[in-house]
DNA sequence: TTGTATGCGTTATCAT
DNA sequence: ATGATAACGCATACAA
């Protein structure tokens, strides 16, 4: 019969000290790998730890050190985007990679309701994280201003208008859109339209204005349709509408690869050949681009780097270094759809 | 000129008590909404809080209450799946929904290296979360046994063989695969093959055995190809290989919708008609299924419910209630691809 | 190199 | 209903 021991009581530093015949201070020092511990003490503590099964209590440690060594990544997306947007996974992995190397734990918080929004704000305020990267906040997003008020080191991925003036990392959506639109126009297309999406976000709005600028006088507002999300379904509907409005349309800029894929399906079902009859270009260079036939010409967005850079911006602030907004380069990947 | 105040020092409960002319105890009581506080004290405290800008320190609170009111969701996936697998987003949202209602914060931790694996284990051990749901752990995944050893309330989504005997929620992959294979066979197909994936995971292995069982004596091992991931690319390659081995093949069970989509592309490019020449079925009922032409017949997997149920299993354990493994129902969605 | 003592900001117990 | 006081488990400045 085992001795009547109190369950549910984790070993503390005191237990280790007692078992090792040393003081709490020494135990703490070896646990934190500090200098000034004799080899004897070190090994004594180490196996005392093993014997009593000690693991240090993070809450107590955070309380005294006033840091958590954790960074939040806040995702505020409509449902469907969480499944469709290929960038978000890359951003997450990129951020995780640099934080992991710096020995910070990335914790992802998702906001899917107002209740979530408040709880996440409390989480940040409570000191459970030392910083935050906010991905895809829309203008007037309450979490954006909450982050600013709380004053926790932070960085935005993307730069929605109306967002507090905090560090961010973004791509030049407008310039990239202009470039690829010009390239499309350069293939001799006469009637170029756009399936725009997410106009309430910087990415969507900027891609549209880039498109408009590139076309200049040739821009025709009736050849632009607009949908809330960057989805395949938006591509389907958008292309149908565009075909209805102008059957002779011969060039399409889709706001994302998923949208382009949907549009291409409609185009081909209508008997049109791509790129012979209609040229089409997308945006993202996601796995969608390789899935269409012909493969998509598109803009390569460095999603992984967006995540990495955002993480670096936060780390810089934590270390008291200056941290300034960054705009990352994009490149055009020209394949066979235009 | 503002008074020389020390920056970076958050107000504590003491500051509030002083400002309100009350004791810490009373302040704590109103902060936590407890009974036995006079209305006068309540309002006095409330505006003292507003005046000094008090927010409670979670670390200190967690230390004394011995709970964090947070639940971890651990994602251990190869890179590509994080982008391709539509289920994971639904699982996450489902879990978040039930935890949010119970006023728990869901924190997602991703494991992308051994270093991550260790850090996440430390995070769990440190008491920063009260429970954990583990999604898609593979057999021999170190995090699985770590969770068991740590003894934190937990639940697995899926049930890989070799996994510690802990609560889980899964679907009957084998039964579902058997059912849809029988259905496919029922359309009169003579040579039925399978593009299998992720055989090192319960889902992949069970879908294969279900397929084999359904065919019984008609099972032909040479008509099965196997790939590590549930991807579109696996579908492309797998179908090419199958066509090479047996050009007369007329039925395909793809291990997921993404795989099926890739296979269908190859089939159609080879001049075969679906479903006239070849019938094909998938698994998941993800957005892929609606994207192919014709649309895919497939198995609907209740990803959202998987997340919800896993969260409920964890909450039950926290509350000291019994928590038993669950197997959720799937349904066949019959469209036009077979 | 090691030990001691103090404090981190809360909650909880026990008086009052 | 409110106030004192003692933990919670750890890090750290200082003494030894």
């Amino acid at each position: 019969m085992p001795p009547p021991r109190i369950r549910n009581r984790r070993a503390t530093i005191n237990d280790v000290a007692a078992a090792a015949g040393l003081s709490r201070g020494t135990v703490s020092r070896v646990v934190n790998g500090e200098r000034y511990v004799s080899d004897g003490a070190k090994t004594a503590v180490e196996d005392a730890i093993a014997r009593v099964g000690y693991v240090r209590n993070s809450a107590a440690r955070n309380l005294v050190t006033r840091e958590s060594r954790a960074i939040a990544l806040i995702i505020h997306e409509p449902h469907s985007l969480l499944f469709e947007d290929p960038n978000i996974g890359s951003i997450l992995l990129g951020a995780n990679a640099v934080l992991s190397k710096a020995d910070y734990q990335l914790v992802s918080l998702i906001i899917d309701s107002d209740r979530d929004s408040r709880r996440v704000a409390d989480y940040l305020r409570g000191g459970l994280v030392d910083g935050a990267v906010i991905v895809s906040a829309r203008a007037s997003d309450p979490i954006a201003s909450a982050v600013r008020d709380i004053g926790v080191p932070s960085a935005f991925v993307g730069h929605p208008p109306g967002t507090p003036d905090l560090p961010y990392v973004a791509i030049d959506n407008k310039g990239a859109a202009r470039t690829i639109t010009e390239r499309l126009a350069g293939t001799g297309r006469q009637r170029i339209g756009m399936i725009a999406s997410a106009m309430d976000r910087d990415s969507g709005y900027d891609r549209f204005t880039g498109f408009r600028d590139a076309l200049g006088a040739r821009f025709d507002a009736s050849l632009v349709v607009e949908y809330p999300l960057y989805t395949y379904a938006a591509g389907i509907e958008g292309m149908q509408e565009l075909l209805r409005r102008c059957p002779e349309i011969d060039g399409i800029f889709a706001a994302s690869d998923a949208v382009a894929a949907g549009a291409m399906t409609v185009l081909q079902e209508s008997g049109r050949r791509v790129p012979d009859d209609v040229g089409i270009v997308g945006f993202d260079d996601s796995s969608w681009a390789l899935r269409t036939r012909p493969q998509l010409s598109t803009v390569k967005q460095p999603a992984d780097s967006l995540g990495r850079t955002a993480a670096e911006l936060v780390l810089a602030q934590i270390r008291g270094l200056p941290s300034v907004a960054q705009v990352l380069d994009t490149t055009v990947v020209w394949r066979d759809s235009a």
Side-chain angles (χ1 to χ4, degrees), chain A:
Chain A
M1 194 163 125
R5 201 164 59 80
I6 291 150
R7 281 236 179 251
N8 265 354
R9 185 183 171 287
R10 308 273 253 184
T12 74
I13 240 188
N14 277 319
D15 302 327
V16 178
L22 290 164
S23 77
R24 300 208 308 254
T26 314
V27 174
S28 179
R29 280 184 277 267
V30 350
V31 167
N32 294 312
E34 284 174 27
R35 292 165 310 186
Y36 302 131
V37 285
S38 65
D39 289 349
K42 182 154 180 253
T43 58
V45 166
E46 275 165 353
D47 63 53
I49 286 179
R51 271 207 311 283
V52 306
Y54 168 75
V55 300
R56 107 175 131 205
N57 180 313
S58 300
R61 173 172 230 258
N62 295 350
L63 176 58
V64 48
T65 61
R66 297 154 176 287
E67 64 170 17
S68 65
R69 296 205 74 81
I71 306 284
L73 185 145
I74 301 169
I75 303 171
H76 190 171
E77 289 276 14
H79 280 201
S80 51
L81 275 175
L82 201 54
F83 318 144
E84 302 249 357
D85 191 333
N87 294 314
I88 183 132
S90 295
I91 291 171
L92 214 154
L93 253 12
N96 184 66
V98 345
L99 293 178
S100 181
K101 193 188 293 185
D103 211 42
Y104 274 82
Q105 175 66 51
L106 179 67
V107 306
S108 305
L109 275 19
I110 102 154
I111 297 182
D112 187 37
S113 66
D114 291 344
R115 191 185 171 87
D116 287 352
S117 193
R118 283 191 300 272
R119 197 169 11 73
V120 165
D122 285 348
Y123 196 84
L124 299 184
R125 261 190 286 268
L128 264 21
V129 294
D130 298 338
V133 358
I134 299 92
V135 52
S136 67
R138 264 94 15 108
S140 79
D141 195 327
I143 198 68
S145 48
V147 165
R148 199 252 334 270
D149 295 344
I150 293 169
V152 59
S154 58
F156 287 81
V157 173
H159 190 221
T163 277
D165 188 28
L166 289 170
Y168 66 84
V169 51
I171 59 168
D172 179 9
N173 281 288
K174 186 171 175 181
R178 195 186 317 115
T179 302
I180 198 160
T181 302
E182 283 165 356
R183 186 85 184 257
L184 176 61
T187 63
R189 312 293 170 175
Q190 295 307 310
R191 295 162 191 276
I192 301 183
M194 174 171 185
I195 304 175
S197 294
M199 293 280 272
D200 62 332
R201 295 170 55 182
D202 60 326
S203 59
Y205 183 74
D206 291 353
R207 288 173 202 181
F208 166 70
T209 56
F211 169 80
R212 191 184 53 197
D213 287 3
L215 258 27
R218 299 169 54 196
F219 172 76
D220 178 351
S222 75
L223 260 36
V224 175
V225 290
E226 180 187 336
Y227 293 84
L229 269 23
Y230 292 115
T231 58
Y232 181 85
I236 298 269
E237 288 179 42
M239 196 63 241
Q240 287 168 341
E241 174 62 21
L242 247 23
L243 249 23
R244 211 172 294 132
R245 292 192 196 168
C246 174
E248 309 78 27
I249 198 165
D250 64 357
I252 306 289
F253 173 36
S256 88
D257 290 347
V259 174
M264 198 184 292
T265 298
V266 170
L267 244 19
Q268 292 171 333
E269 287 185 342
S270 77
R272 291 171 173 80
R273 290 164 308 162
V274 175
D276 310 74
D277 302 323
V278 183
I280 180 167
V281 299
F283 206 109
D284 282 348
D285 195 27
S286 65
S287 49
W288 281 103
L290 300 174
R291 247 172 239 160
T292 59
R293 307 284 160 138
Q295 294 188 338
L296 223 47
S297 293
T298 186
V299 173
K300 182 177 179 60
Q301 172 168 189
D304 180 84
S305 298
L306 286 170
R308 305 185 83 91
T309 306
E312 283 160 1
L313 288 177
V314 172
L315 288 180
Q317 292 170 66
I318 289 176
R319 292 165 181 156
L321 272 34
S323 128
V324 308
Q326 302 212 15
V327 175
L328 269 30
D329 284 336
T330 55
T331 53
V332 168
V333 180
W334 204 254
R335 297 202 179 90
D336 307 310
S337 67

